Amino acid sequence: GENVEQHPSTLSVQEGDSAVIKCTYSDSASNYFPWYKQELGKRPQLIIDIRSNVGEKKDQRIAVTLNKTAKHFSLHITETQPEDSAVYFCAATDTGGGNKLTFGTGTQLKVEL
Amino acid sequence: DTAVSQTPKYLVTQMGNDKSIKCEQNLGHDTMYWYKQDSKKFLKIMFSYNNKELIINETVPNRFSPKSPDKAHLNLHINSLELGDSAVYFCASSQAASDTQYFGPGTRLTVL
């Protein structure tokens, strides 16, 4: 099955700085890599996703990069704001397991004023 | 309009009891899921249904039984609740397995 590792587990940045969260996956046939943001007490919500035929995708202050050869993908948040503080999860499809999503262990991002 | 809804939002119960959580989606999606999020925030899939048919059944105790009366509803029944069942349970739905999953608001289950 798919194994997704996520680093770091906690990340503290100053407002306005950039934040980078990295994930690696094991299933070389994985083709879908979403990122979810979960604020305290709320549901996970998709913020950006990328498919295996694309190397990079950007949406305003957030971007995701995918390196299929190395089997890793990263989330980049620029000009961080206090409202970016949340837990971020990466995920990858497990093609041998009914195409379910396997989630990383989460990164607690704290943006300090 | 609420896309994925769950009831109840909170559930506090004694060990040994049986309880159910209900989930409904109005997105017209074919696939629905149950996830468990423990105190360390790990999100682990439990079950997945596609058009009322069970397609993913992770290593979950037999005390947990999902039921999908139609493709817009997926319920979770838990028998003989144990302390370790305390967690937040999220329902989710997607059009297909490799598409965006939309999560419900979660049900916080506390077993005393």
Side-chain angles (χ1 to χ4, degrees), chain A residues 2-3 24-27 30 33 66-68 71-73 92:
Chain A
E2 176 78 278
N3 182 40
T24 60
Y25 62 97
S26 60
D27 182 356
S30 286
F33 307 90
L66 171 65
N67 183 328
K68 285 209 69 181
K71 290 190 278 188
H72 67 70
F73 56 114

Side-chain angles (χ1 to χ4, degrees), chain A residues 86-99:
Chain A
V87 178
Y88 290 81
F89 293 95
C90 64
T93 46
D94 180 347
T95 58
N99 267 341

Side-chain angles (χ1 to χ4, degrees), chain B residues 84-103:
Chain B
D85 297 333
S86 295
V88 179
Y89 292 84
F90 285 101
C91 174
S93 75
S94 67
Q95 184 51 43
S98 290
D99 281 337
T100 303
Q101 291 189 19
Y102 295 85
F103 283 78

Side-chain angles (χ1 to χ4, degrees), chain A residues 6-13 18-22 84-89 105-112, chain B residues 40-42:
Chain A
Q6 183 172 348
H7 300 280
S9 57
T10 60
L11 180 58
S12 188
V13 298
S18 295
V20 181
I21 303 170
K22 298 182 179 183
D84 294 330
S85 296
V87 178
Y88 290 81
F89 293 95
T105 48
T107 296
Q108 174 74 62
L109 173 65
K110 185 175 180 183
V111 180
E112 296 174 334
Chain B
K40 293 184 179 176
K41 302 292 188 184
F42 296 152

Side-chain angles (χ1 to χ4, degrees), chain B residues 2-109:
Chain B
T2 304
V4 184
S5 59
Q6 287 178 236
T7 53
K9 192 167 173 59
Y10 300 97
L11 192 48
V12 181
T13 189
Q14 299 287 330
M15 267 196 323
N17 284 350
D18 303 339
K19 290 294 177 186
S20 291
I21 307 171
K22 295 187 175 183
C23 177
E24 177 181 359
Q25 54 97 1
N26 63 7
L27 296 167
H29 288 164
D30 286 337
T31 309
M32 295 184 73
Y33 313 82
W34 277 112
Y35 286 90
K36 179 181 181 181
Q37 186 171 46
D38 61 22
S39 56
K40 293 184 179 176
K41 302 292 188 184
F42 296 152
L43 262 173
K44 189 94 186 346
I45 190 165
M46 301 172 68
F47 302 102
S48 174
Y49 271 74
N50 181 269
N51 209 1
K52 302 193 297 175
E53 190 177 330
L54 180 66
I55 55 170
I56 293 172
N57 185 350
E58 291 295 287
T59 310
V60 177
N62 289 341
R63 301 181 294 104
F64 290 79
S65 52
K67 274 206 174 71
S68 182
D70 55 62
K71 74 173 196 176
H73 295 84
L74 180 61
N75 304 323
L76 183 65
H77 188 75
I78 316 170
N79 288 328
S80 305
L81 279 156
E82 300 178 357
L83 293 176
D85 297 333
S86 295
V88 179
Y89 292 84
F90 285 101
C91 174
S93 75
S94 67
Q95 184 51 43
S98 290
D99 281 337
T100 303
Q101 291 189 19
Y102 295 85
F103 283 78
T107 296
R108 181 173 293 278
L109 172 65

